[in-house]
Amino acid sequence: MSIEALYGFFAVLIGLSIGSFLNVVALRGLSGESIVFPPSKCPKCGKKLNWYTNIPVISYIFLLGKCQFCKQPISVQYPVVESANAILYLIMFLNFGVSLKTLILWAVTSIFILICITDFKEQVIIDLHTYILIGLGLLYNILKLGSISILDSILGILAGYLIFEILARIGTITVKTRAFGEGDTLIAMGLGALLGWKMLILTIFISIVIQAFFAIPVLLFRYAKNKQYLNIFALLMLIFSIISTNFIKPDYIFYFWYLGTLCTILLICLFIILRNLRNKEYGNFYYMPFGPALVISALLVIFYSKQIINLFN
């Protein structure tokens, strides 16, 4: 076995072990329990787990996804998180080798996964996780491990705050509720610290595309289920308006008139859709967490920023 393969093997083992710990940190963070005491236990029957039934991924497979004691199903979240963390650790190692950069990006990756877990499960972003992300972003650039200066890192934090808080306030003014949660603002500040303000803007754009890819089918289904045909029409017009702008050439006489009409349609459709995102009749029925989209887009920018930028050239 080559030394690189051996290092890669250890990267996977470390990723699996820390991934198992991330499940504990996320779930106990949501419940308010200590991450140290009590020891690992079954969330259903509360019995302490034996070490040999607490091996990442392997124990889940060996136990056929059921608790050793009460035989109740174990959430698939556990092996998914462990595997995802291990895979990302391996990818980081293969890209950046044995280095301080890899270690810090491992820590960033684990914070990303914590954000995804808590946002998916409870639509909650734990402030401590985002503060650590901001600190790691600053440290990453203080040590000159990235391609930006510490000034750009600080400007990235400021840009993340301003962009999301301005958007949130627009939501408050138009539909009486924040367009984004405060946790999303903190995530953006952390990504700004890590990537700088320029890459942050690109990251936000990609995250909106990712969110739309998953959100639009869900919204259409839910609108149809509840017979909200005005919302369906508004959403389809919104999509049409965005796509059609790519086929309009600036030298056309009616270009600015058409563009103005589309912008008006966009604003009307956005108002109709946002007004119903937190309809009191359905509570938070339409809410979809935005944190995971930010995390996925940040990972894409970390690995493929040059290729993504070339797509726009």
Side-chain angles (χ1 to χ4, degrees):
M1 181 181 291
S2 68
I3 189 68
E4 187 178 46
L6 183 62
Y7 283 149
F9 176 72
F10 279 117
V12 171
L13 287 183
I14 294 169
L16 287 170
S17 301
I18 293 179
S20 180
F21 181 61
L22 293 179
N23 278 310
V24 175
V25 173
L27 296 178
R28 294 194 181 186
L30 290 171
S31 65
E33 295 180 84
S34 166
I35 63 173
V36 180
F37 301 105
S40 297
K41 60 181 180 179
C42 172
K44 303 290 177 61
C45 65
K47 289 191 176 182
K48 179 183 175 181
L49 300 179
N50 297 315
W51 69 267
Y52 53 84
T53 60
N54 205 24
I55 302 172
V57 179
I58 294 174
S59 291
Y60 184 87
I61 296 172
F62 178 76
L63 294 170
L64 301 178
K66 295 181 180 180
C67 172
Q68 174 192 11
F69 304 105
C70 64
K71 305 303 179 183
Q72 291 296 309
I74 301 171
S75 173
V76 73
Q77 170 192 318
Y78 291 93
V80 167
V81 167
E82 292 160 357
S83 300
N85 198 62
I87 291 169
L88 287 171
Y89 272 35
L90 179 60
I91 293 173
M92 292 292 183
F93 164 73
L94 293 176
N95 277 271
F96 308 115
V98 180
S99 63
L100 181 58
K101 181 173 184 173
T102 296
L103 288 177
I104 293 181
L105 288 178
W106 277 1
V108 168
T109 294
S110 293
I111 293 296
F112 282 170
I113 289 179
L114 284 175
I115 288 170
C116 289
I117 297 172
T118 59
D119 207 5
F120 266 129
K121 288 190 71 68
E122 300 290 343
Q123 291 79 57
V124 169
I125 304 296
I126 296 175
D127 289 351
L128 177 60
H129 300 163
T130 56
Y131 296 154
I132 294 173
L133 180 60
I134 293 171
L136 288 170
L138 287 170
L139 179 63
Y140 184 77
N141 291 302
I142 288 172
L143 296 174
K144 298 182 179 180
L145 299 175
S147 58
I148 64 171
S149 66
I150 185 61
L151 177 60
D152 284 332
S153 185
I154 294 171
L155 289 175
I157 295 174
L158 182 61
Y161 176 81
L162 290 176
I163 291 171
F164 272 76
E165 285 305 302
I166 288 171
L167 291 174
R169 295 299 185 271
I170 291 173
T172 303
I173 294 170
T174 56
V175 291
K176 309 303 180 184
T177 186
R178 287 178 62 97
F180 294 97
E182 294 177 1
D184 294 324
T185 299
L186 290 171
I187 296 172
M189 292 170 68
L191 296 182
L194 180 69
L195 303 172
W197 68 271
K198 292 180 182 178
M199 287 296 102
L200 174 64
I201 293 173
L202 177 61
T203 301
I204 293 172
F205 173 77
I206 296 171
S207 67
I208 292 172
V209 173
I210 292 172
Q211 187 78 349
F213 180 80
F214 290 101
I216 288 173
V218 172
L219 287 175
L220 284 173
F221 173 77
R222 290 175 176 176
Y223 287 153
K225 184 178 179 180
N226 292 286
K227 298 180 180 180
Q228 295 175 315
Y229 301 118
L230 177 60
N231 290 338
I232 293 175
F233 175 75
L235 188 57
L236 292 176
M237 284 300 297
L238 182 67
I239 297 169
F240 168 76
S241 299
I242 293 171
I243 293 175
S244 64
T245 56
N246 296 317
F247 297 95
I248 305 300
K249 295 183 179 181
D251 55 346
Y252 283 3
I253 297 175
F254 60 90
Y255 173 73
F256 291 105
W257 174 85
Y258 187 71
L259 193 60
T261 303
L262 285 181
C263 288
T264 303
I265 293 173
L266 279 170
L267 290 173
I268 294 172
C269 292
L270 278 171
F271 179 81
I272 293 171
I273 293 166
L274 289 173
R275 185 187 61 188
N276 290 276
L277 284 179
R278 293 185 180 179
N279 192 310
K280 293 181 179 179
E281 183 179 352
Y282 302 106
N284 288 333
F285 188 61
Y286 294 106
Y287 178 78
M288 292 188 70
F290 192 58
L294 282 169
V295 164
I296 293 171
S297 61
L299 288 171
L300 290 173
V301 169
I302 289 172
F303 291 117
Y304 303 110
S305 58
K306 292 182 180 178
Q307 292 87 332
I308 294 170
I309 292 172
N310 288 335
L311 291 175
F312 296 95
N313 293 333

